[in-house]
Amino acid sequence: MALPITKKICDLLVKKGLVSEDALDEARKKSLEKSRSLSDVLVEMNVISRQDLLSVLSEGLGLPVIKLPCFEVDAETLGLIPKKVALMYRVIPISRVGKLLTVAMTDPLNILALDDLKVATSLDLSPVISSEEDVTDALRKYYETSADEEISSIVEELEGAEFETISEDQDSFSSAELLKISEEAPVVKLTNMILSRAISERAGDILIEPMEGNTRVRYRVDGVLMESYSPPRKFHQALVSRVKVLSDLDIAERRLPQDGRFQARIEGRKIDFRVSVVPSSFGEKVALRVLDKQQAMTDLDMLGLKEKDIDILKKAGMKPHGMILLCGPTGCGKTTTLYSVLRHVDSPRKNLVTVEDPVEYDFWGVNQVSINEDIGLTFAACLRSILRQDPDVIMVGEIRDYETLDIAIKSALTGHLVLSTIHTNTASGAVVRMVNMGVEHFLITSSVELIAAQRLIRKLCPDCKRPYFPPREAALKYGLITDDGQDVPEIFSPVGCKRCLNSGYRGRIAIMECLELSPRIKDLIFAGAQEFEIEIAAREEGMTTLRENGVQNVLEGVTSLEEVLRVTVEARSMEK
């Protein structure tokens, strides 16, 4: 729950010089556009820290701010507020004196919550303010059973349940028997627990993998796989069958890959899951992509990009025609950035259309088409029809073949702004990739306005990151300093704590290299220059590479040097 921002609090923020009137107006506008709280938008814009917001809120409301980790709440006090109510209103009872109960809340202005709590406890309430992180940790500590303990109890229930688990001879069970097993209560509970844990840990992917002796469940959190509790092997097919039932897949087919999707409401949010099932040596492996539409950031200013890169994207997005290409590996945030550009250029006077496989996020006011290759609805087929729909801006989810690329380029040449993605590692590599796909050099120079390569890097956890001075040799090698006479800067390394799941990192931001097609770059492309020649020329004209962009974030204390080295490669030497 976000911190409450009233007019009185806004005036106090401006009076104290913590937020300018212009920043406040911009945040209000974004708050309305995104249906997000004003406090969350202010923090995401880096206008003010959440701690400063707490302090101003305390002063404005005349309520104290407390640090929940400093308190140990006894069981009797906790029992005054039922678990369901505490989780619903995000409130922690602190102490009781006579008829007065002190409660910690993130939103002390929630009158409905206070009224319900008063009825539930039959006590008078004295609210105090605590941070979102402290309340979340306290709720997990006092009210929620740990995920591993809960999965263990479900597995125990599975062991004692009155149904037959599936043996290694998988073909001996009929579809009806598989369906019955997948709908047994313990299997349903185990599946739900795996899905809900993924949401609570901010996972982007879930892998359910059959091993020789057990089933391995892993979550990809901030781009890195983390192993979770592993149920016994004999329950694997029952778990897979449950996911297939949810995804409307053929539970009897275990020899061929299958793809599907389903929706679930978890923690009050509607979550989309994209499902892929493939046969492997020990059974079927399931991969679920988690698409949390409410958590998706679709504002360029909130992606964590450098101001220079944001300005380049905005400038390219406001051109009347041409092509903007984003490149990078799967899962690097290309689609999110394209949506952010769409949001920036969106206007009632423009006709925006997207072609995606599948549509990942609902975008109000934009016509979105989902590909279905089984019936011949391909990217190329869609683009041909869309061009007859009088579009101003077209977003193509991915360019996979020459036909799609050819139509996209012709669209860019005939008065449309085209946004798309292509799988290459660098911005300059996208040029070579298009040439290899069969496009003439002059068509690239005539249509493409901007090529941007993107990666996502993990942000250091602000609660546990530790400062240190790197060795001078490493500082020189990786660009932290440019000559041996400079002082080695202080940077930070990950440590690990409860709030970051002991990883040392929490959340991710985008880094980018933007290749603008200047006259010099166009001449090189037309002359058939190689990838490294285009990259060197672009750097001489001011392009910041992915590695250099990442190092800037290291110097600013946003991420660690190890994380940047994990995600990026060293740029080519500019020496001739």
Side-chain angles (χ1 to χ4, degrees), residues 201-205 219-226 331 456-461 499-501 503-509 563 566-567:
E201 295 188 0
R202 301 176 291 102
D205 297 278
Y219 299 116
R220 190 177 296 279
V221 180
D222 293 335
V224 177
L225 281 172
M226 302 174 64
L456 293 178
I457 57 172
R458 294 179 293 172
K459 295 192 296 182
L460 285 165
C461 175
R499 290 180 176 171
C500 61
L501 305 176
S503 68
Y505 299 93
R506 197 165 74 208
R508 290 189 290 177
I509 60 170
E563 176 66 7
R566 181 184 72 86
V567 173

Side-chain angles (χ1 to χ4, degrees), residues 432-501:
V432 178
R433 169 80 173 131
M434 286 188 284
V435 172
N436 290 340
M437 290 174 73
V439 177
E440 296 288 348
H441 296 86
F442 73 89
L443 289 176
I444 297 174
T445 57
S446 301
S447 60
V448 179
E449 296 291 341
L450 172 68
I451 305 173
Q454 180 171 310
R455 299 291 188 278
L456 293 178
I457 57 172
R458 294 179 293 172
K459 295 192 296 182
L460 285 165
C461 175
D463 297 306
C464 66
K465 65 181 183 180
R466 180 174 57 202
Y468 77 103
F469 290 95
R472 179 170 293 276
E473 296 79 10
L476 276 168
K477 180 179 180 181
Y478 299 119
L480 299 174
I481 56 177
T482 54
D483 61 70
D484 201 37
Q486 281 185 271
D487 292 333
V488 175
E490 180 184 72
I491 60 177
F492 293 84
S493 64
V495 177
C497 64
K498 288 193 304 181
R499 290 180 176 171
C500 61
L501 305 176

Side-chain angles (χ1 to χ4, degrees), residues 556-569:
E556 293 168 8
V558 175
T559 190
S560 68
L561 182 59
E562 295 84 356
E563 176 66 7
V564 171
L565 298 181
R566 181 184 72 86
V567 173
T568 65
V569 297

Side-chain angles (χ1 to χ4, degrees), residues 78-87 120-121 143:
L78 285 171
L80 295 172
I81 297 182
K83 174 182 176 179
K84 185 177 180 179
V85 176
L87 294 175
T121 60
Y143 286 101

Side-chain angles (χ1 to χ4, degrees), residues 24-153:
L24 199 58
D25 290 340
E26 185 181 353
R28 285 195 184 103
K29 181 180 177 183
K30 290 182 177 179
S31 174
L32 292 173
E33 288 176 353
K34 296 169 65 65
S35 299
R36 299 281 301 279
S37 69
L38 181 57
S39 61
D40 283 345
V41 173
L42 285 169
V43 172
E44 288 171 357
M45 289 173 60
N46 294 318
V47 173
I48 189 172
S49 69
R50 201 168 285 278
Q51 192 57 47
D52 286 339
L53 264 180
L54 278 173
S55 300
V56 173
L57 188 65
S58 173
E59 182 178 343
L61 300 178
L63 297 175
V65 176
I66 67 164
K67 286 193 170 292
L68 276 174
C70 299
F71 290 82
E72 191 65 37
V73 185
D74 59 75
E76 184 179 351
T77 304
L78 285 171
L80 295 172
I81 297 182
K83 174 182 176 179
K84 185 177 180 179
V85 176
L87 294 175
M88 180 187 301
Y89 292 122
R90 303 187 64 74
V91 58
I92 301 293
I94 302 298
S95 63
R96 175 186 178 180
V97 179
K99 281 284 189 180
L100 185 66
L101 178 64
T102 301
V103 293
M105 307 175 67
T106 58
D107 184 2
L109 293 181
N110 190 337
I111 305 301
L112 293 177
L114 291 171
D115 287 345
D116 286 353
L117 289 168
K118 190 172 182 178
V119 172
T121 60
S122 300
L123 297 171
D124 295 325
L125 298 179
S126 173
V128 295
I129 306 170
S130 188
S131 69
E132 176 77 22
E133 292 83 3
D134 283 353
V135 170
T136 299
D137 287 346
L139 287 170
R140 190 176 291 125
K141 175 182 177 181
Y142 293 122
Y143 286 101
E144 294 184 0
T145 307
S146 76
D148 285 348
E149 289 176 4
E150 192 161 342
I151 290 179
S152 296
S153 66

Side-chain angles (χ1 to χ4, degrees), residues 170 210 236-237 240 244 253-258 276-286:
Q170 297 175 353
H236 178 78
Q237 192 57 46
V240 173
K244 285 184 175 181
E253 178 55 73
R254 294 183 290 281
R255 300 164 301 171
L256 298 173
Q258 297 187 70
S276 173
V277 183
V278 296
S280 66
S281 300
F282 297 109
E284 291 179 288
K285 174 186 173 183
V286 180

